[in-house]
Amino acid sequence: MKIIDTDHPFYRPLWRRLLLVGVCAAWTGVEYYNGEQTWGTIFLVVTAYAFANLILFFKPSDPAAKPPEEQPKS
């Protein structure tokens, strides 16, 4: 299951990916600061998932690459 579609052009710039992970991490801190252990843990997992997909394992797709065209059936 792919929750974050890393092939989408929105995720191509590094600053957007870093901002998204940073916002998730900041919200994790807010939840823990307010004593919400459960929500803090949930957002910690979301932050880890976003970091892994958007920073650690990110491989940008080639925008010039075209999908293979279908062969006409004869």
Side-chain angles (χ1 to χ4, degrees):
M1 181 169 76
K2 199 172 194 181
I3 297 174
I4 299 175
D5 182 14
T6 56
D7 293 332
H8 195 278
F10 178 82
Y11 297 112
R12 188 168 303 274
L14 177 63
W15 70 270
R16 286 183 183 165
R17 293 181 277 135
L18 290 173
L19 181 66
L20 184 62
V21 172
V23 167
C24 290
W27 195 254
T28 300
V30 167
E31 293 296 347
Y32 276 119
Y33 180 77
N34 288 325
E36 297 293 333
Q37 302 294 323
T38 303
W39 284 108
T41 303
I42 290 170
F43 277 97
L44 182 64
V45 170
V46 169
T47 302
Y49 181 80
F51 177 78
N53 279 306
L54 296 176
I55 307 297
L56 203 57
F57 302 123
F58 184 75
K59 292 180 184 164
S61 61
D62 184 15
K66 296 178 184 174
E69 295 184 22
E70 293 182 21
Q71 300 293 330
K73 295 180 181 178
S74 48

